[in-house]
């Protein structure tokens, strides 16, 4: 793993806090009108943290997550990730930065329907200089880690929702990003699958040291995080510490193949 | 992987893609056939030579020239050969069996038209038999003429029933050579007419003149015409190509219409394909946004869309080209000797593929631009 990490573009050493938001505001333009969504948001996320963002629908959770992940731009304020001010980046630079730094997990998995599980996981590596064989090897290892070694050649439509989300997690991991953002990762899953996904996220956090920001409105899901922040009408409430993910242990972690990664 | 993705995307909606492909194939095939019709129209001129001049009556082609012009023209500086030819206009069995018949000065004619290829024996047999004739290979195939057969023609310009014995079947040296003509001896026709209608004796339709240098065509033409200035039968001389084109220009409007239709068909399929691509791209908005979120450039997304469109369009184009040849053959069979030359040209094939590719690229242009411009967050919010 350490060897593999060395072949990727260097990322500034994650000196805590990993994410810093200062007086961030965001408004959307709707016709002539500016609709404020986030106002004066300031907080930090430490490296290695697993943070849940909660709040009612329309409160701006996704918007906040998108700002941190660099797929949307703040109207004002400063966002630093791993010490870098991402507002200063141009579009192409920002895209490169995302490819290196962020792992994305979406509510509806957002896999390419025409690609197999393996190809979907391999996809982000097309942006690296790895050879085809190396890409394949890594993608296979990542799929094995999420317990889908047997499903590599299946297309998304041949997989259950939970399995698709595990493919998406493997895809998010493949470039070894420092920050994983997950927007309602269990929002479309039944309880059982949701639980598997949450335990998998915990493993990424604990075993691989990934910093995770997860948006959810499900208290059970939020319970797997270290801390919860509540968003209400664009403003942040106090942070609620949960300790080290009380709701779910590592007992019986999804499958035994994790060691391969 | 980009190619894999584009290619698999192309066949995601199998029915939609097949329908688009079918439309494209029909359009590009139609384009190819129409282009070939236009080519066939000009084929006479295409096969004509710039090294040959045609001298005709200045008033109109229907008025003849005296036979004694032959020697005068022959003596003009730059003229190295001369023959002559009369349009016969006979009917073979029924008026619908149309093909060109010419009464020619046989030996000089074959010398001036080396593209009419005959075996030595056939040539000798033809020249020896004053009632003999030769027919083009396509004409022979159409009516089943064989060497030794007697062909009966009902004269329209030259009254009476005429019989000719097939002494040879000529082939074209080139694809554009007209192989659906029938040629026989002017001397035989002239003898018969001299007996029946003496005032129509010794009349020539056109003289065909071979010159030493095509670059001198204009100069030699005016020299010939000057020779007969202020006579009762003034001449008009031009290159064989110009002569043939003057026939085509009479029907130019039809040709222009056919060309316009052929391009219209392409424009219509472009509209259809652009609509399909727009629909496809709209459905995949979230996918394209996902790719961009993962760090792929807008250019990658454009490549994906254009690649998909071009793949479908080229597939349609290739199928169309493959279909054009057999269809053109069937068409040629159906119209028989109306179009003496009916070949799908390399240029037509190139145009077909170019049109198909153009349709693919243009159809993708607007949707691709839209997909490129859409913001990631907006794209992700789009529900597939
Ligand atoms: N791309 C956008 N354009 C316009 N308005 C948006 C956009 N994204 C979000 N909004 C608006 O911002 C508000 C917050 O949206 P969002 O962050 O998605 O909320 P949540 O994820 O908490 O449900 C909503 O009122 C939504 O309509
Ligand atoms: Mg949301």
């Amino acid at each position: 793993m350490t060897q593999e990490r060395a072949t990727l573009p260097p990322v500034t050493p994650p000196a805590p806090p990993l994410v810093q938001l200062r007086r961030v505001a965001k408004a959307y333009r709707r016709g002539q009108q500016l609709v404020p969504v986030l106002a004066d948001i300031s907080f930090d996320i430490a490296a290695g943290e697993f943070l849940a963002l909660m709040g009612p629908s329309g409160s701006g959770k996704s918007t906040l997550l998108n700002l941190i992940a660099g797929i949307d731009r703040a109207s004002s304020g400063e966002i630093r990730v791993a010490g870098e001010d991402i507002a200063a980046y141009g579009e192409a630079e920002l895209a490169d930065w995302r490819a290196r730094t962020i792992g994305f997990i979406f509510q509806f998995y957002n896999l390419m329907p025409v690609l197999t599980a393996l190809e979907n996981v391999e996809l982000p590596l097309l942006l690296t200089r790895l050879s085809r064989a190396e890409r394949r090897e890594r993608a296979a290892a990542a799929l094995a880690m999420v317990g889908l070694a047997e499903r590599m050649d299946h297309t998304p439509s041949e997989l259950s929702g939970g399995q698709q989300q595990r493919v998406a997690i493997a895809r998010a991991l493949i470039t070894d990003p420092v920050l994983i953002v997950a927007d309602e990762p269990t929002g479309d899953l039944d309880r059982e699958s949701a639980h598997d996904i949450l335990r998998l996220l915990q493993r990424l956090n604990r075993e691989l040291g990934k910093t995770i920001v997860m948006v959810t409105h499900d208290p059970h899901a939020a319970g797997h995080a270290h801390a919860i922040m509540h968003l209400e009408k664009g403003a942040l409430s106090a942070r609620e510490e949960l300790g080290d993910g009380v709701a779910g242990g590592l007992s019986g972690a999804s499958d035994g193949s994790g060691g391969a990664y | 992987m980009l190619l894999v993705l584009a290619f698999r995307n192309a066949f995601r909606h199998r029915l939609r893609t097949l329908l688009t492909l079918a439309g494209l194939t029909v359009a590009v095939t139609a384009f190819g056939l129409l282009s070939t019709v236009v080519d066939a129209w000009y084929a006479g001129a295409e096969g004509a030579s710039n090294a040959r001049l045609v001298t005709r009556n200045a008033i109109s082609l229907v008025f003849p020239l005296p036979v004694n012009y032959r020697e005068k023209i022959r003596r003009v500086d730059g003229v190295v050969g001369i023959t002559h030819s009369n349009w016969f206009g006979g009917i073979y069995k029924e008026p619908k069996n149309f093909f060109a018949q010419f009464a020619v000065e046989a030996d000089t004619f074959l010398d001036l038209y080396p593209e009419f290829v005959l075996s030595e024996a056939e040539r000798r047999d033809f020249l020896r038999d004053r009632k003999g004739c030769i027919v083009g290979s396509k004409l022979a195939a159409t009516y089943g003429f064989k060497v030794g057969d007697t062909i009966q023609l009902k004269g329209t310009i030259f009254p009476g029933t005429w019989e000719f014995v097939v002494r040879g079947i000529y082939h074209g040296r080139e694809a554009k050579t007209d192989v659906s003509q029938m040629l026989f001896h002017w001397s035989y026709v002239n003898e018969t007419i001299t007996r029946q209608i003496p005032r129509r004796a010794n009349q020539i339709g056109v003289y065909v003149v071979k010159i030493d240098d095509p670059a001198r065509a204009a100069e030699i033409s005016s020299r010939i015409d000057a020779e007969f200035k202020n006579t009762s039968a003034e001449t008009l001389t031009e290159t064989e190509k110009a002569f043939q084109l003057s026939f085509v220009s009479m029907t130019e409007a039809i040709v222009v219409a056919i060309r316009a239709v052929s391009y219209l068909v392409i424009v219509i399929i472009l509209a259809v394909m652009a609509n399909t691509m727009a629909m496809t791209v709209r459905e995949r908005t979230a996918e394209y946004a996902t790719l961009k979120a993962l760090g792929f450039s807008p250019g990658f997304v454009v490549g994906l869309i254009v690649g998909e469109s071009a793949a479908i369009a080229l597939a349609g184009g290739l199928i169309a080209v493959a279909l054009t040849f057999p269809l053109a053959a069937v068409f040629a069979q159906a119209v028989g000797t109306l179009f003496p030359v009916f070949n799908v040209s390399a240029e037509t094939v190139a145009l077909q593929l170019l049109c198909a590719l153009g349709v693919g690229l243009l159809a993708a242009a607007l949707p691709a631009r839209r997909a490129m411009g859409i913001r990631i967050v907006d794209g992700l919010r789009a529900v597939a």
Side-chain angles (χ1 to χ4, degrees), chain A residues 121-130 135 138-139 174-175:
Chain A
V121 176
E122 185 191 341
L123 197 58
L125 293 181
L126 290 183
L127 294 167
T128 67
R129 292 215 190 91
L130 294 178
R135 296 197 308 255
R138 279 199 185 199
I174 194 79
T175 55

Side-chain angles (χ1 to χ4, degrees), chain A residues 26 28 66 71-72 95 98-99 104 106 110-116 119 122-124 126-127 136 171, chain B residues 1-2 4-5 8-9 12 286-288 290-297 300 375-378 380-381:
Chain A
K26 175 71 184 175
Y28 280 113
N66 292 343
I71 55 174
D72 202 357
R98 283 198 301 273
F104 287 91
F106 305 94
N110 292 25
L111 300 174
M112 300 298 130
V114 292
L115 298 184
T116 63
E119 290 165 336
E122 185 191 341
L123 197 58
L126 290 183
L127 294 167
R136 291 270 143 141
R171 181 180 67 183
Chain B
M1 188 82 130
L2 167 71
V4 170
L5 203 51
R8 288 196 206 153
N9 270 338
R12 216 152 119 185
E287 281 169 45
Y288 299 137
T290 303
L291 286 171
K292 286 202 267 184
L294 295 181
F296 287 93
S297 67
F300 182 88
R375 287 161 9 104
I376 296 173
V377 285
D378 294 333
L380 287 175
R381 283 160 64 91

Side-chain angles (χ1 to χ4, degrees), chain A residues 28 30 37 56-63, chain B residues 375 377-378 381:
Chain A
Y28 280 113
R30 201 167 285 158
V37 178
S57 180
S59 56
K61 305 182 296 291
S62 296
T63 302
Chain B
R375 287 161 9 104
V377 285
D378 294 333
R381 283 160 64 91

Side-chain angles (χ1 to χ4, degrees), chain A residues 88-194:
Chain A
Y89 288 156
E91 286 305 319
E93 260 180 313
L94 197 57
D96 282 349
W97 175 83
R98 283 198 301 273
R100 277 179 290 137
T101 318
I102 308 290
F104 287 91
I105 301 170
F106 305 94
Q107 178 174 357
F108 298 107
Y109 334 122
N110 292 25
L111 300 174
M112 300 298 130
V114 292
L115 298 184
T116 63
L118 187 72
E119 290 165 336
N120 264 292
V121 176
E122 185 191 341
L123 197 58
L125 293 181
L126 290 183
L127 294 167
T128 67
R129 292 215 190 91
L130 294 178
S131 71
R132 186 186 147 87
E134 286 172 307
R135 296 197 308 255
R136 291 270 143 141
E137 193 183 321
R138 279 199 185 199
L143 272 178
M145 174 180 182
V146 299
L148 288 176
E150 311 295 311
R151 295 279 192 277
M152 289 205 279
D153 297 325
H154 291 233
T155 58
S157 62
E158 296 163 350
L159 298 172
S160 72
Q163 289 172 327
Q164 288 186 58
Q165 195 61 300
R166 281 195 271 161
V167 174
I169 290 173
R171 181 180 67 183
L173 276 178
I174 194 79
T175 55
D176 198 20
V178 290
L179 179 63
I180 290 180
V181 296
D183 195 345
E184 312 254 15
T186 57
D188 200 44
L189 297 177
D190 59 77
R191 278 187 81 78
E192 194 69 23
S193 311

